[in-house]
């Protein structure tokens, strides 16, 4: 988000770049060593695939994966993110063992394959690729990795495919809730959107009235206690509940990873749309609890859960919604003043306009999905939508009502369905008319007039004063203090 987006991504990239440079001087991947007998499947078990995952610490941190097949299992497998595994060993029904190369992330299993094994060498991967959310990152004895990096899956996942998954060797925090005995019972599609995984570390749990956050703390902090980390995440989750009537999911998992940082609190965060979603956040190792008072990353990432997954992806809309509501939610909870919230919004619009120049909204949103202009163009459009919805309905309906309507329709949506929901809440066509009016104009045209009408007046130093104006009642309804669901 704005300046904070620049700072967080720059810090994260600099930190990862230093680690990547050092990695070039170190050793290559550890050798595969999986020679123990295959684990037996309970008699009568109908699962099509069984994944047995072992977290290995010596000589280096690795993940040993065994996939047990039954008759009718798929034969074409692949890694969604190739590069971490060069070969797999396969065992046939007659006891023959073969090593198969992984080409372009894919492998074709011979007929009669009973199970396959491979090793994802976490520490070696971190050395060669540099630490990252996807390929691997860790502190002490704990490690973090994206499921799609190390879990091989069928090339085609049939709708009826069921999966069992078991982890040993470490306390794991996966997106899903394990059943009795630690066994995860999954759908085949969970292998496609497999989220973020954490191994080792410590656990705490955030209890909300309508949800639970399972938190993995994957390393050690100089000043922060586990209780302070959980309280920070609780605050962010409560702020999401000022935007939605209830927390969007009954359970999510959050991994917090300490990293070297010169300043600030959270450096970078990301959501993966597993089912349920999983969030991971990098936090400076020397962060103190007081820094969380100004943090925006945790609530921003959780606010992505407030809107459906829009397919195909529309970054300017999803990031714009989260960016816009990040400021309002922190004002509604009292963590920042209403004046400060509008200062942040006005400052973001100003800096993004300086970067975007005279480019139209259409030109800006066609650029890099992680650019400053994309985030703040989306946030400005979200503000315009919210204001127009309130104007049309006499301040009785708002952008949050669009999110509630979409939530009733399911966890995924389309761009067109989002626009239809806006029109349904407005009671008249609105979305396409508003969008077409701004697409061909300079991206941040009319922003001063919009803020002035809301009673948001900034001096030459950027300090905001909130004053009476034609739409100041709308603005007060947008940024006013509230508890969960107040005003719905």
């Amino acid at each position: 988000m704005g300046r904070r987006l620049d700072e967080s991504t720059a810090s994260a990239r600099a930190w990862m770049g230093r680690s990547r440079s050092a990695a070039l001087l170190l050793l290559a991947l550890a050798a595969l060593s999986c020679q123990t007998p295959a684990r037996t499947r309970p008699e009568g078990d109908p699962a099509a695939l069984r994944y047995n995952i072992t977290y290995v610490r010596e000589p280096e941190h690795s993940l040993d994966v065994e996939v047990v097949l039954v008759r009718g299992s798929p034969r074409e497998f692949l890694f969604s993110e190739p590069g971490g595994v060069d070969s797999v060993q396969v065992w046939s029904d007659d006891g023959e063992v073969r090593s198969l190369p992984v080409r372009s992330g894919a492998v074709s299993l011979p007929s009669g394959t009973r199970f396959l094994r491979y090793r994802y060498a976490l520490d070696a991967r971190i050395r060669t690729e540099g630490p990252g959310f996807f390929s691997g990152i860790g502190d002490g004895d704990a490690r973090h990795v994206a499921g799609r990096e190390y879990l091989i899956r069928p090339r085609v996942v049939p709708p009826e495919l069921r999966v069992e998954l078991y982890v040993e060797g470490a306390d794991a925090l996966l997106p899903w809730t394990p059943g009795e005995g630690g066994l995860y019972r999954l759908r085949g599609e969970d292998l496609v959107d497999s989220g973020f995984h954490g191994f080792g570390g410590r656990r705490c749990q955030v209890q909300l009235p309508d949800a639970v956050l399972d938190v993995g703390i994957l390393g050690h902090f100089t000043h922060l206690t586990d209780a302070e980390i959980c309280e920070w995440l609780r605050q962010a989750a409560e702020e999401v509940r000022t935007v939605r009537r209830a927390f969007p999911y009954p359970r999510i998992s959050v991994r917090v990873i300490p990293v070297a940082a010169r300043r600030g609190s959270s450096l970078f965060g990301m959501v993966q749309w597993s089912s349920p979603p999983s969030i991971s956040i990098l936090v400076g190792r020397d962060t103190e609890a007081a820094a969380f008072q100004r943090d925006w990353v945790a609530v921003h990432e959780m606010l992505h859960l407030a809107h459906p997954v829009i397919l195909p992806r529309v970054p300017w809309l999803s990031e714009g919604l989260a960016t816009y509501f990040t400021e309002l939610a922190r004002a509604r909870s009292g963590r920042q003043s209403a004046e400060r919230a509008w200062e942040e919004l006005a400052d973001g619009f100003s800096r993004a306009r300086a970067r975007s120049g005279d480019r139209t909204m259409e030109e800006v949103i066609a650029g890099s999905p992680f650019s400053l202009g994309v985030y703040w163009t989306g946030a400005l459009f979200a503000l315009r939508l919210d204001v127009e919805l309130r104007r049309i309905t006499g301040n009785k309906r708002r952008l949050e009502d669009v999110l509630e309507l979409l939530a009733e329709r399911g966890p995924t949506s389309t761009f067109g369905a989002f626009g239809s929901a806006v029109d349904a809440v407005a009671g008249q066509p609105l979305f396409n008319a508003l969008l077409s009016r701004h697409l061909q104009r300079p991206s941040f045209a009319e922003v001063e007039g919009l803020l002035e009408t809301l009673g948001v007046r900034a001096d030459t130093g950027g300090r905001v004063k909130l004053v009476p104006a034609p739409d100041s009642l709308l603005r007060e309804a947008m940024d006013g203090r509230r508890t969960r669901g107040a005003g719905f």
Side-chain angles (χ1 to χ4, degrees), residues 25-201:
L25 302 176
L26 301 175
L27 298 174
L29 294 173
L32 179 71
S33 61
C34 304
Q35 300 299 327
T36 58
R39 297 169 179 84
T40 59
R41 177 188 300 280
E43 187 175 352
D45 183 358
L49 289 176
R50 168 72 178 248
Y51 285 72
N52 296 307
I53 300 167
T54 303
Y55 185 63
V56 177
R57 293 176 171 82
E58 298 294 341
E60 290 190 316
H61 294 89
S62 302
L63 292 168
D64 284 350
V65 181
E66 175 185 78
V67 185
V68 183
L69 292 78
V70 295
R71 190 177 302 277
S73 294
R75 299 299 174 193
E76 300 293 326
F77 279 74
L78 57 78
F79 292 94
S80 298
E81 291 290 337
V85 177
D86 294 328
S87 64
V88 301
Q89 290 182 300
V90 298
W91 275 252
S92 63
D93 288 330
D94 59 9
E96 181 184 4
V97 181
R98 298 172 60 182
S99 180
L100 302 179
V102 177
R103 295 191 173 95
S104 299
V107 63
S108 180
L109 304 181
S111 178
T113 297
R114 183 68 181 89
F115 61 93
L116 64 93
R117 288 173 175 161
Y118 60 90
R119 168 167 287 185
Y120 185 89
L122 267 165
D123 287 354
R125 184 77 167 153
I126 293 169
R127 284 198 302 271
T128 57
E129 294 296 314
F133 275 149
F134 293 96
S135 57
I137 188 172
D139 178 71
D141 197 37
R143 293 294 180 272
H144 175 286
V145 66
R148 67 188 192 187
E149 287 274 347
Y150 80 93
L151 283 178
I152 199 168
R153 66 171 179 87
R155 180 183 292 275
V156 177
V157 178
E160 70 280 2
L161 181 64
R162 295 197 310 104
V163 174
E164 289 185 346
L165 186 147
Y166 183 77
V167 180
E168 61 184 355
D171 182 16
L173 180 61
L174 309 187
W176 319 287
T177 303
E180 186 177 355
L183 184 66
Y184 296 84
R185 298 185 183 275
L186 311 176
R187 304 161 300 169
E189 62 195 70
D190 289 323
L191 296 175
V192 179
D193 295 316
S194 49
F196 288 133
H197 299 188
F199 300 88

